[in-house]
Amino acid sequence: MKNIFLSIFLAGFYTLKAQNYKAYQFYDQKGKEIKTDKLVRELAKYDVVFFGENHNNSINHWLQLKITEALYEKKNGQLILGAEMFERDNQAQLDQYLEGKIDAKTLKDSARLWNNFSTDYKPLVDFAKNKKLKFIATNIPRRYASQTAKEGIESLNALPEKDKVYMAELPIKVTLETPGYPEMKTMMGEHADGTKVMNFISAQAIKDATMAESILKNYESGKTFIHYNGNFHSKEFGGIYWYIRQKNSNLKMAVISVFESGNPELKVPEKEYIPTNFNLIIPADMTKTY
């Protein structure tokens, strides 16, 4: 009997010891696992790549850096970087940092950086700096997005022309036909005031349209423009992707979407899973940075 219990204990121990904990897994649009080296080879074929993220996920940010480094090598340096986390009117400060004219503290003091800049985005900016790459501040200044949410998108028309250069050319189309936007309406509840709902969606739209315009203005033929943005801004081929498509249907674009999974093998989720070109599955209990 004692030997039987010992055998059961050892079997359980070795099963536990053999558990394989995955930190991430990439899948293609058809649900097939794809290794990072093949992913990079595929991404190099695109003009624009959107790398979606959960802002507070450490493995997500690490993969953005590693994939960018590998893509730089694959493209022989023909790369442009851009991000939601930097606003158009801070491009001058960002350029000064990239050129070595100001240090990190001065950049922090002079630009509206996100709280997690040093841990999550500075490595990407420093990579661009070391490789002498362009890094584009693509987003609309947050004060104008906030104004849109409160007063409606029409209120932007009254702004001076010097302010309008920091946003997509007006007017922009705001429609629930854009993937992801109906979800925003649902989030606000069926009893939410119609005007408030559309103002909220319009604030998202002016961000997406501005980032789309920034990418189009700074894209260079033969290079890959890799853009880092919150997953919602490109999920289901909506958001920024959708607005670029309205202006230029010829660019070859790819979206990397991110999903969380409680499955230890990080299989494709069975629910709420609408894949894009490439799909990053990460553990739901992955350490959050904030």
Side-chain angles (χ1 to χ4, degrees):
M1 182 66 71
K2 185 177 180 181
N3 289 338
I4 293 175
F5 282 126
L6 181 60
S7 298
I8 293 173
F9 172 78
L10 289 174
F13 174 77
Y14 285 118
T15 300
L16 181 63
K17 189 176 180 180
Q19 177 70 53
N20 180 30
Y21 297 107
K22 277 189 175 182
Y24 67 90
Q25 179 62 58
F26 283 104
Y27 291 90
D28 65 16
Q29 196 165 359
K30 295 180 180 179
K32 184 179 179 181
E33 290 188 9
I34 180 170
K35 293 184 178 180
T36 50
D37 56 347
K38 183 178 181 183
L39 173 65
V40 170
R41 289 198 302 273
E42 291 297 316
L43 293 178
K45 301 174 184 177
Y46 288 90
D47 301 314
V48 180
V49 172
F50 299 97
F51 203 137
E53 68 170 50
N54 290 348
H55 298 315
N56 63 353
N57 192 282
S58 53
I59 197 73
N60 209 157
H61 293 298
W62 179 76
L63 284 167
Q64 286 175 331
L65 178 62
K66 298 315 268 174
I67 296 297
T68 300
E69 290 172 346
L71 191 56
Y72 174 85
E73 296 298 328
K74 186 65 180 175
K75 292 283 294 188
N76 295 315
Q78 299 301 296
L79 209 59
I80 302 171
L81 280 57
E84 168 199 0
M85 300 80 198
F86 301 93
E87 298 165 23
R88 274 191 182 183
D89 59 341
N90 285 151
Q91 184 69 60
Q93 295 95 318
L94 183 57
D95 286 344
Q96 288 176 330
Y97 178 76
L98 292 170
E99 294 163 8
K101 295 178 179 178
I102 61 174
D103 60 16
K105 184 181 184 305
T106 306
L107 176 65
K108 182 179 179 180
D109 292 341
S110 61
R112 295 179 301 280
L113 302 179
W114 287 25
N115 291 336
N116 59 328
F117 168 75
S118 354
T119 54
D120 299 338
Y121 305 112
K122 187 174 182 291
L124 290 167
V125 175
D126 285 344
F127 177 76
K129 180 181 179 180
N130 293 335
K131 299 299 184 183
K132 302 189 183 307
L133 300 175
K134 290 182 180 179
F135 199 118
I136 309 301
T138 62
N139 209 351
I140 187 172
R142 63 196 73 175
R143 59 185 177 274
Y144 302 129
S146 178
Q147 176 180 325
T148 302
K150 294 174 182 175
E151 304 172 29
I153 199 162
E154 296 79 11
S155 70
L156 299 177
N157 294 322
L159 291 171
E161 291 304 313
K162 65 180 180 61
D163 291 356
K164 290 180 182 177
V165 300
Y166 299 124
M167 63 189 71
E169 184 179 359
L170 300 171
I172 67 162
K173 184 178 182 180
V174 181
T175 171
L176 291 176
E177 294 174 11
T178 309
Y181 288 10
E183 183 180 338
M184 296 178 68
K185 182 180 179 182
T186 302
M187 286 165 52
M188 296 192 72
E190 58 182 56
H191 300 298
D193 176 83
T195 300
K196 288 183 179 179
V197 169
M198 287 313 298
N199 286 354
F200 179 64
I201 292 172
S202 295
Q204 180 82 1
I206 192 64
K207 291 178 184 179
D208 289 336
T210 298
M211 288 188 273
E213 184 184 85
S214 299
I215 292 169
L216 286 170
K217 282 185 173 182
N218 291 281
Y219 168 73
E220 297 175 27
S221 180
K223 294 187 177 182
T224 294
F225 192 124
I226 183 166
H227 191 263
Y228 316 102
N229 52 260
N231 196 56
F232 202 90
H233 286 289
S234 53
K235 65 178 291 189
E236 300 173 29
F237 302 109
I240 313 168
Y241 182 104
W242 187 88
Y243 277 101
I244 288 182
R245 274 282 172 262
Q246 309 310 302
K247 300 286 186 180
N248 188 332
S249 59
N250 296 320
L251 284 179
K252 189 176 182 185
M253 299 189 291
V255 176
I256 302 173
S257 295
V258 60
F259 301 87
E260 293 189 347
S261 173
N263 185 312
E265 294 300 316
L266 298 184
K267 299 296 184 185
V268 169
E270 295 180 3
K271 297 180 181 179
E272 299 180 358
Y273 180 72
I274 301 178
T276 48
N277 305 91
F278 306 102
N279 305 277
L280 170 61
I281 314 298
I282 52 181
D285 62 353
M286 174 60 68
T287 302
K288 303 297 190 291
T289 55
Y290 61 90

